[in-house]
Amino acid sequence: MGEVTYSNFRTQKLISRPEDFTSVEALHEQLFDTIRKYHPSTDFTMIEDAFRLAEEAHKDQMRKSGEPYLVHPLCVAIILAELELDKETIIAGLLHDVVEDTPITLDDIREQFNDEVASLIDGVTKLGKLSYSHDKMDIQAENLRKMFLAMAKDIRVILIKLADRLHNMRTLQYMTPAKQREKARETIDIYAPIADRLGISKIKVQLDDLSLKYLQPEVYQDIYQKVAQDKEVRKDFIEATIKEVGEHIEEAGIKAEMSGRVKHLFSIYKKMRNQQKTIDQIYDIFAIRIMVDSVKDCYAALGVIHELYTPIPGRFKDYIAMPKENMYQSLHTTVIGSRGIPFEIQIRTFEMHRTAEYGIAAHWKYKEGGGSLNKEEEKLSWLRQILEWQQDMSDNREFLDMLKTDLNLFTEKVYCFTPQGDVKTLPQGSTPVDFAYMIHSAVGNRMVGARVNGMQVPIEYKLQTGDQVEIITSQNSKGPSRDWLSFVQSTQAKNKINQWFKKEYKEENITRGRDMMEKYAKAKGLNLSQYLKPEYQSVCIRKYGYQTWDAVLAAIGHGGLKEGQVVNRLVEEYQKDHQTPKTDEEVLAGMENQQVVSKQPTKIRANSGITVKGSDDVSVRFSKCCSPVPGDEIIGFVTRGRGISIHRTDCSNVLSMPEEDRSRLIEAEWSPEAIKKNGERYLTELCLYVQNRRGILLDITKVFMEMKMDIISLGTRVSKQGTATVYLSFETSGREELDKIMNKLHNIESIIDIERASG
């Protein structure tokens, strides 16, 4: 016979609320009592030292609630102890605010404790400086980029940040209503989904409920009161059901522990919203949980349940065979009870339950002097994927859209199989195109069709759980279609398709954007080059949510930005930088007074192929910083004693030139003979950004061999993320030949981007 243990009926309260203790002394005692329950060591000297340091550092500080500031770091440390984390993390929790808010430095922390504690506090301090604004999308995106980089470096940094956010949300009543809504929105958009992705339901459910409390207070109070009113009725029903189920589980010889719970308020709210029902119309707002010793017992218990009650079709989910991305495993089934009331049953092992409650923190292994994650950290593939997106995406708006879609675990998933039997997890509504990009970007880019369960299907076919999908590819494929973006569901597919089109048309869009800006400036009588200083460009880059100036130009080229607004912003920043702003005409007049301008260009040095204005019989040399070639837009710079140096107009040294030196710039152009001339060679340099792989250098050099061109120098640098930078120098006849070789290089798989040396 089996043995069944019963737990009391409970509502959702998974982490104790340490702020319920009113004194610092009580919180101090609570912290150490919590640590003793799980920590293998009995030496808590370092934690006690950290408490004393925090006590001294924050002794004159108070919270908005009027209580000592020390209450906050103590509560954060208690939450971390509830997650059963290592001593270093708890110490960092106690001291997470001292570097930012007190005279204590990281060196002080390092000297008194160790490098590990100092590194954790440094990571949390940097995250603490992040600012969030629902409207300032570029700031929000930059903050999130930093957050995910911190998570990749040491996941404990974000665990401390989550504990910090949870306690701040618990005491949010002392903030202004505007600040309450701002923090609640940030929490439900970012922090709760991250806790979910890390599998820490103990924190996630509270962040959800507290966010709902401040974002929709009336809805929250209505649900809270109705759940409280019906508590006794539901309690009686659940206890009777647990007894009934327990008898059958015991008869089947299964050792189990059972408990019942009401779902947390935000979960009920979602169910009401999604099903368009009131709380009175929803019956399955509670669940019974069965915990057993083995996976075999999980399925045996499921058989008992389905024999005893009628399961509701389509409401069975096997997260044991196909775990969620956050490592969650359990069997879920919704059945009709003996009174005709539907309710949910969750069946899992004790180890699965621990993972469901603590997530990534459940897999922490202790060692004296520090903790480390075991191989479970390898399951954070979504984090590595986000880090890859950060490298790929210069558009902050696009990055945010992709990120919020990917972090949203509220959407249902479908589980499909490759012909080899590998499982792929996709958002509900996904198509074979999503499946193809889940395998590899090259498979998606070359896709021409698909078979599902052996039958040919349209590429927009909606996949179902259990489908076996075979992707048909062709080397002759012209690449993805923009129409695919209208039906794909997964973040990865949308990202890779957009990447393909941006890569294909990037240079064209950049050129078009630059031309549009110059045309607009000319129509307004402005000398655009005067305003293209890096500091003014960086303002535009931040304001419009991009990563580089080329990305801004590309956005103008494809219609994402208006050239007028960018030019006007550049002019505005220029005028801010000058105490007595001058008009463009005044600046031009001043420059013309400082140099002799000839109406007729004078060609100098027949073999240079350069025509300049206002100079005769002086030497001309090509600048090595940007290596201009015939066909490039160029400009001359009058040097002191070395003639005229020729630069490309987009050379960063020209764009960032101090105002006092700009008067020495002189118009220059290639003569028609130079552009048409054959045989003359010009040195140029390229910088290639590639995904590192075996054979990539061979593919690059093969392009030069096919074009019968020699590489003069070649250098590489590989980052820890697997992205390589390849530096090439070679000689070319001009822009036409250079464009041809750059196009061929762009066609090599794994090439992310190509840039010319520009200063």
Side-chain angles (χ1 to χ4, degrees):
M1 294 290 288
E3 179 183 340
V4 178
T5 304
Y6 304 98
S7 298
N8 292 331
F9 170 82
R10 60 189 174 88
T11 55
Q12 197 66 256
K13 188 177 181 182
L14 295 175
I15 290 184
S16 65
R17 298 176 63 86
E19 68 273 17
D20 293 339
F21 298 92
T22 55
S23 69
V24 169
E25 291 76 15
L27 288 170
H28 175 269
E29 184 178 348
Q30 172 71 7
L31 171 62
F32 283 89
D33 285 346
T34 305
I35 298 171
R36 290 188 189 98
K37 291 177 183 177
Y38 72 92
H39 207 286
S41 173
T42 56
D43 181 10
F44 300 133
T45 305
M46 283 179 62
I47 300 177
E48 184 63 38
D49 289 345
F51 169 75
R52 296 303 170 195
L53 180 60
E55 184 179 42
E56 177 63 24
H58 296 301
K59 65 180 180 181
D60 297 324
Q61 296 177 341
M62 305 293 287
R63 302 196 82 212
K64 290 185 181 295
S65 61
E67 59 192 356
Y69 192 87
L70 184 59
V71 168
H72 172 65
L74 267 171
C75 290
V76 169
I78 290 172
I79 293 171
L80 295 170
E82 293 269 355
L83 293 176
E84 301 185 2
L85 290 168
D86 62 316
K87 288 191 290 187
E88 283 72 19
T89 308
I90 293 170
I91 291 169
L94 282 168
L95 302 175
H96 74 276
D97 280 336
V98 297
V99 172
E100 185 174 5
D101 297 341
T102 76
I104 294 173
T105 67
L106 279 175
D107 288 337
D108 297 331
I109 300 292
R110 193 174 289 109
E111 182 178 348
Q112 184 167 349
F113 299 97
N114 54 44
D115 288 340
E116 189 175 356
V117 172
S119 177
L120 288 172
I121 294 174
D122 184 39
V124 177
T125 301
K126 288 175 179 175
L127 289 183
K129 294 178 180 178
L130 304 182
S131 58
Y132 176 94
S133 170
H134 193 62
D135 297 321
K136 297 178 181 178
M137 197 171 290
D138 53 332
I139 297 175
Q140 184 185 354
E142 285 305 309
N143 291 344
L144 289 171
R145 290 178 192 271
K146 294 175 185 176
M147 186 181 297
F148 289 116
L149 287 172
M151 289 170 65
K153 185 177 180 181
D154 192 328
I155 201 71
R156 291 175 293 175
V157 171
I158 201 64
L159 297 180
I160 298 169
K161 186 64 178 176
L162 287 172
D164 174 59
R165 175 50 56 104
L166 176 56
H167 183 251
N168 283 333
M169 288 298 294
R170 287 173 174 174
T171 56
L172 203 58
Q173 68 267 31
Y174 300 106
M175 295 286 187
T176 64
K179 183 62 70 173
Q180 289 173 352
R181 288 190 294 272
E182 178 186 326
K183 292 296 182 184
R185 173 54 58 190
E186 178 186 10
T187 299
I188 206 163
D189 279 352
I190 304 301
Y191 287 97
I194 287 176
D196 201 359
R197 271 303 186 124
L198 295 175
I200 312 174
S201 66
K202 297 191 75 169
I203 286 182
K204 186 262 183 187
V205 295
Q206 292 185 72
L207 292 178
D208 279 338
D209 282 358
L210 290 167
S211 298
L212 179 64
K213 179 179 179 179
Y214 292 102
L215 289 174
Q216 300 215 40
E218 293 181 2
V219 173
Y220 176 88
Q221 288 298 329
D222 184 55
I223 297 174
Y224 179 83
Q225 291 172 6
K226 289 185 176 178
V227 167
Q229 287 172 3
D230 299 335
K231 179 180 178 180
E232 291 303 319
V233 175
R234 292 195 177 95
K235 179 180 178 181
D236 292 341
F237 174 79
I238 288 180
E239 288 179 348
T241 304
I242 286 177
K243 183 178 179 181
E244 186 176 45
V245 171
E247 291 173 354
H248 287 77
I249 293 289
E250 189 172 0
E251 288 176 6
I254 302 170
K255 182 181 178 181
E257 182 178 310
M258 298 179 59
S259 63
R261 66 179 181 88
V262 172
K263 295 181 179 179
H264 63 286
L265 302 185
F266 185 73
S267 178
I268 297 172
Y269 165 71
K270 282 194 303 172
K271 194 176 287 288
M272 292 168 56
R273 183 188 60 190
N274 294 340
Q275 297 179 11
Q276 296 294 306
K277 292 180 179 179
T278 65
I279 190 171
D280 298 323
Q281 296 172 305
I282 297 175
Y283 295 98
D284 58 337
I285 63 174
F286 49 82
I288 291 174
R289 181 172 295 147
I290 303 174
M291 290 179 286
V292 296
D293 288 328
S294 67
V295 172
K296 178 182 177 182
D297 287 344
C298 287
Y299 289 101
L302 178 68
V304 172
I305 297 300
H306 281 182
E307 185 179 1
L308 183 61
Y309 303 112
T310 302
I312 297 177
R315 297 295 299 272
F316 170 66
K317 296 167 186 173
D318 188 344
Y319 294 121
I320 293 179
M322 292 173 284
K324 290 185 178 182
E325 293 167 296
N326 63 359
M327 302 179 289
Y328 177 87
Q329 287 184 289
S330 187
L331 298 175
H332 289 196
T333 183
T334 303
V335 298
I336 304 295
S338 55
R339 302 180 190 177
I341 298 175
F343 63 96
E344 183 181 70
I345 291 182
Q346 301 171 357
I347 308 170
R348 63 183 66 157
T349 67
F350 291 99
E351 181 59 29
M352 291 173 188
H353 178 66
R354 177 173 171 79
T355 300
E357 296 280 278
Y358 295 91
I360 196 72
H363 300 276
W364 202 266
K365 301 298 181 186
Y366 291 99
K367 62 181 181 182
E368 283 303 317
S372 64
L373 284 173
N374 69 357
K375 292 183 179 179
E376 294 298 332
E377 191 173 14
E378 297 174 5
K379 295 184 179 180
L380 296 177
S381 58
W382 61 274
L383 178 56
R384 291 193 297 273
Q385 189 177 72
I386 288 172
L387 294 175
E388 290 175 8
W389 293 347
Q390 295 197 83
Q391 297 172 3
D392 294 339
M393 289 185 170
S394 61
D395 186 336
N396 280 335
R397 288 170 174 80
E398 184 179 7
F399 172 69
L400 270 183
D401 291 341
M402 294 290 186
L403 179 62
K404 289 183 178 179
T405 300
D406 188 74
L407 278 179
N408 185 4
L409 294 188
F410 305 147
T411 56
E412 296 294 329
K413 304 290 185 181
V414 293
Y415 302 87
C416 300
F417 300 86
T418 67
Q420 292 75 35
D422 296 330
V423 180
K424 299 295 179 184
T425 306
L426 297 158
Q428 191 172 52
S430 290
T431 67
V433 176
D434 296 280
F435 190 91
Y437 280 103
M438 185 65 69
I439 296 172
H440 195 278
S441 58
V443 175
N445 290 339
R446 295 171 184 166
M447 176 182 176
V448 293
R451 297 186 186 93
V452 175
N453 302 325
M455 297 181 62
Q456 191 96 14
V457 296
I459 58 174
E460 62 268 24
Y461 168 84
K462 302 294 183 185
L463 296 174
Q464 306 296 320
T465 293
D467 282 346
Q468 186 185 74
V469 185
E470 179 186 356
I471 303 299
I472 304 169
T473 62
S474 171
Q475 293 293 334
N476 298 322
S477 168
K478 295 182 179 179
S481 166
R482 286 194 184 275
D483 294 338
W484 294 3
L485 291 169
S486 65
F487 59 77
V488 293
Q489 297 296 312
S490 65
T491 298
Q492 187 165 354
K494 292 176 182 177
N495 181 25
K496 295 300 182 183
I497 293 168
N498 279 319
Q499 270 186 41
W500 190 89
F501 280 104
K502 283 187 176 182
K503 180 179 173 182
E504 286 291 300
Y505 300 108
K506 181 179 178 182
E507 291 300 326
E508 180 182 329
N509 285 331
I510 290 173
T511 302
R512 184 185 298 117
R514 187 180 292 115
D515 291 344
M516 291 169 69
M517 283 188 64
E518 289 175 352
K519 184 177 180 181
Y520 178 89
K522 187 175 181 180
K524 297 292 184 180
L526 300 172
N527 177 16
L528 184 60
S529 62
Q530 177 179 342
Y531 307 107
L532 290 176
K533 285 191 174 183
E535 57 266 35
Y536 307 150
Q537 291 175 337
S538 64
V539 172
C540 292
I541 290 169
R542 290 194 304 271
K543 176 175 176 58
Y544 301 117
Y546 295 92
Q547 290 290 295
T548 65
W549 182 246
D550 276 354
V552 173
L553 293 176
I556 296 171
H558 65 64
L561 278 175
K562 292 290 186 183
E563 64 274 19
Q565 65 186 120
V566 178
V567 172
N568 291 338
R569 170 61 66 171
L570 289 170
V571 173
E572 182 180 331
E573 292 304 316
Y574 172 86
Q575 291 175 345
K576 286 181 184 177
D577 208 23
H578 293 72
Q579 294 183 356
T580 55
K582 298 180 180 180
T583 65
D584 192 66
E585 290 76 13
E586 289 172 335
V587 175
L588 275 174
M591 290 175 62
E592 289 173 353
N593 289 335
Q594 296 177 46
Q595 61 186 38
V596 180
V597 179
S598 171
K599 294 183 179 180
Q600 296 298 324
T602 303
K603 183 176 179 180
I604 58 169
R605 286 188 61 199
N607 64 346
S608 72
I610 300 293
T611 299
V612 297
K613 290 185 178 181
S615 297
D616 190 12
D617 196 25
V618 295
S619 64
V620 172
R621 61 187 180 87
F622 297 108
S623 169
K624 293 182 180 180
C625 60
C626 57
S627 303
V629 300
D632 286 333
E633 292 182 6
I634 56 175
I635 194 166
F637 179 76
V638 181
T639 66
R640 292 184 173 92
R642 292 180 296 163
I644 296 175
S645 64
I646 301 299
H647 297 257
R648 301 205 319 261
T649 55
D650 61 350
C651 175
S652 62
N653 287 335
V654 173
L655 297 178
S656 61
M657 187 175 291
E659 187 64 36
E660 59 268 24
D661 290 338
R662 297 192 69 83
S663 61
R664 294 160 60 192
L665 291 174
I666 188 169
E667 293 183 27
E669 61 184 12
W670 297 96
S671 66
E673 293 79 13
I675 297 177
K676 295 178 182 179
K677 187 187 299 182
N678 293 320
E680 191 78 14
R681 310 297 291 176
Y682 299 83
L683 182 69
T684 191
E685 296 180 354
L686 293 181
C687 181
L688 283 62
Y689 301 97
V690 306
Q691 283 297 123
N692 194 28
R693 62 172 173 82
R694 185 175 298 175
I696 184 65
L697 287 180
L698 179 62
D699 291 344
I700 292 171
T701 54
K702 186 178 178 182
V703 170
F704 285 86
M705 291 175 61
E706 290 174 350
M707 294 193 66
K708 299 180 180 179
M709 298 174 66
D710 294 329
I711 297 175
I712 296 175
S713 67
L714 185 150
T716 62
R717 185 179 66 211
V718 182
S719 71
K720 293 180 180 179
Q721 291 75 31
T723 302
T725 307
V726 181
Y727 305 92
L728 290 168
S729 67
F730 53 97
E731 290 184 338
T732 179
S733 61
R735 185 61 184 263
E736 184 177 347
E737 186 180 52
L738 180 59
D739 287 345
K740 188 179 296 184
I741 197 165
M742 289 177 67
N743 288 335
K744 287 182 176 290
L745 290 171
H746 267 301
N747 290 330
I748 297 175
E749 184 181 349
S750 300
I751 296 285
I752 300 170
D753 202 359
I754 302 175
E755 293 180 354
R756 291 180 64 188
S758 61

